[in-house]
Amino acid sequence: MFYIDVPTKAEINRLIDTRSPASVSIYLPTTAVTQDIDQSRIELKNLAREADQQLEEVGVDKRVRSAVQDQIEEISEDDDFWAHQATSLAIFVTPERHKTFRLPTNLPASVHVSDRLHINPLLRVMSRPDHVFILALEENQVRLVEAMNGEQAQEVRVADMPKDAASAVGKSTINDRSHSRRIAGDEGQKVRLRQYCRQIDKALRPFLTGHEEPLVVVATQPLASVYQSVSSYSEMLEEVVEHSPARMSPAELARLTRPVVDRVLADRIEAFHELYEARNGEGRATTDVSQAARAATFGAVDTMLVDIDAVLPGLVDRESGAVTLDKEDDAVNYSVVDEIAARVLRNGGQVLGVRADDIPGKAPLAAVMRYAV
């Protein structure tokens, strides 16, 4: 398996609630190819120096800065940790502790220093299903494939997975036309396919427990529909790829299913745009950062799109939500967009991390509100 630990909603909330005068958030690209990981470790040291410089410039005590650097160095020197990576790495550091997440999404190198942690790039990871499981299902074979970004893919071994449909039901074939006291012909075949699919679902259940990644089924009919009818995995996509997976490699399966996976986020963005247009005429939609900040502070934002690359340095008043923008990013201010997103999430709203082109007017954010503010 790939080494991925995407944060849960509870972990995101803990990151949002973290406060320290020396909070450092680092994002950097990594690779699952161990012999190529040194560049990422070098990049981490460069970003750590930049973070220390920002803290020094605003007068943070040397002992506090040293504690932050000790936390980063503990990560930097952990050879076993670096031998197990994904596509990107998120590192969150305070003088007391650190937390890392190995991510399937491509994120550029960046460092953010403030009194709170910078979560905006994580929202892209939470919104876009770059890490998926693919069930390649045939009567004569079943495989589970794990894929990242529609490119990297590998087959995953699952305990107690049936070999094929016939052996799963104790038959030499499920296509015989002979009669029995219970089932015969096409009816008998469907019953046996359902038994086969139930055994697959039973084998997958303990493996997928705790996962929230989408499961994409690749199979021909009627097997695809039969499996959908018995699956207990809540994140299985409704859209099936009706294609024979026979003789397809994991990488080929990843490329085949990528359009289906991409449509998950695309459909959510399209639904947002439709809702945005409907609410805009009612005074319940905005791309204005100041208005969105006030609405988020009072719990009025229902859904928001944010540009994961947008960093607007400044401050947001805790009580009123008033925004004060700064010209430069430093260790005193923070990203206003990030803070607004955090307030939306804290008040039970939904935030999708996207690119600027997906937001109305290519603004840093767009919000749909529960009521006008």
Side-chain angles (χ1 to χ4, degrees):
M1 295 180 63
F2 296 115
Y3 296 93
I4 295 171
D5 37 27
V6 173
T8 64
K9 292 180 181 178
E11 288 173 320
I12 288 285
N13 288 333
R14 283 195 289 272
L15 294 175
I16 288 173
D17 292 337
T18 297
R19 291 291 183 272
S20 170
S23 297
V24 176
S25 307
I26 294 174
Y27 295 88
L28 70 158
T30 55
T31 175
V33 182
T34 304
Q35 59 265 33
D36 296 337
I37 201 63
D38 283 349
Q39 184 59 44
S40 297
R41 300 177 77 166
I42 293 170
E43 184 67 40
L44 175 58
K45 292 180 179 180
N46 293 335
L47 294 174
R49 282 194 293 270
E50 183 179 339
D52 187 61
Q53 181 178 351
Q54 288 192 38
L55 291 171
E56 183 180 16
E57 288 174 354
V58 297
V60 173
D61 186 87
K62 185 176 181 180
R63 288 171 297 181
V64 175
R65 289 166 39 216
S66 179
V68 169
Q69 293 300 311
D70 287 345
Q71 294 288 338
I72 299 175
E73 186 174 357
E74 182 178 330
I75 299 168
S76 178
E77 299 303 319
D78 188 342
D79 292 336
D80 183 66
F81 172 76
W82 289 101
H84 304 88
Q85 292 297 316
T87 304
S88 297
L89 178 63
I91 302 172
F92 301 99
V93 180
T94 66
E96 297 78 24
R97 61 184 60 88
H98 66 262
K99 183 69 175 176
T100 64
F101 295 101
R102 292 166 291 192
L103 309 172
T105 302
N106 292 309
L107 297 174
S110 63
V111 60
H112 310 269
V113 183
S114 181
D115 68 340
R116 63 203 64 196
L117 299 171
H118 184 73
I119 65 163
N120 204 7
L122 282 183
L123 300 176
R124 180 69 171 181
V125 181
M126 305 296 287
S127 305
R128 180 183 174 87
D130 284 321
H131 179 215
V132 303
F133 291 106
I134 303 165
L135 187 66
L137 184 55
E138 311 166 59
E139 287 185 21
N140 298 323
Q141 185 184 32
V142 56
R143 294 175 290 157
L144 184 68
V145 169
E146 185 182 18
M148 286 198 310
N149 299 313
E151 299 173 359
Q152 302 179 61
Q154 61 188 13
E155 188 170 340
V156 181
R157 296 189 65 180
V158 178
D160 300 320
M161 183 72 86
K163 179 181 177 182
D164 54 44
S167 62
V169 298
K171 292 278 188 177
S172 59
T173 177
I174 66 168
N175 298 312
D176 64 272
R177 310 296 296 181
S178 62
H179 289 258
S180 72
R181 287 180 296 173
R182 298 181 57 193
I183 54 178
D186 292 339
E187 178 188 355
Q189 184 187 41
K190 288 183 179 179
V191 169
R192 288 163 183 157
L193 287 177
R194 186 167 287 105
Q195 292 171 338
Y196 174 44
C197 289
R198 287 191 188 281
Q199 288 195 32
I200 294 170
D201 181 64
K202 182 179 179 180
L204 286 175
R205 202 173 302 145
F207 178 86
L208 292 174
T209 297
H211 283 282
E212 297 180 349
E213 292 84 357
L215 175 67
V216 189
V217 177
V218 179
T220 57
Q221 297 295 357
L223 191 54
S225 296
V226 171
Y227 185 79
Q228 280 193 308
S229 71
V230 304
S231 174
S232 61
Y233 186 55
S234 62
E235 302 304 320
M236 183 182 67
L237 299 187
E238 291 184 9
E239 184 177 353
V240 170
V241 179
E242 294 189 18
H243 189 286
S244 172
R247 295 183 294 279
M248 293 188 71
S249 68
E252 290 170 333
L253 286 166
R255 289 192 291 270
L256 177 68
T257 57
R258 190 64 208 180
V260 173
V261 177
D262 284 342
R263 278 195 287 275
V264 174
L265 179 58
D267 289 347
R268 297 175 74 184
I269 294 172
E270 182 180 356
F272 176 90
H273 279 259
E274 292 175 358
L275 184 60
Y276 183 91
E277 290 300 321
R279 296 288 183 265
N280 196 29
E282 304 169 4
R284 294 168 54 192
T286 186
T287 57
D288 182 80
V289 171
S290 295
Q291 185 179 2
R294 290 195 300 273
T297 301
F298 297 126
V301 176
D302 177 71
T303 309
M304 187 165 72
L305 299 185
V306 297
D307 176 6
I308 65 165
D309 298 318
V311 177
L312 297 179
L315 301 171
V316 182
D317 185 80
R318 180 181 299 178
E319 301 297 330
S320 68
V323 173
T324 303
L325 295 178
D326 288 345
K327 292 182 178 180
E328 296 183 2
D329 188 14
D330 57 33
V332 174
N333 57 39
Y334 45 77
S335 171
V336 167
V337 173
D338 196 75
E339 177 61 19
I340 295 170
R343 295 188 186 193
V344 172
L345 292 171
R346 190 181 290 114
N347 289 315
Q350 182 181 21
V351 180
L352 296 180
V354 298
R355 302 294 183 185
D357 288 344
D358 294 320
I359 300 177
K362 296 185 179 181
L365 57 78
V368 170
M369 293 172 278
R370 298 183 174 109
Y371 50 86
V373 176

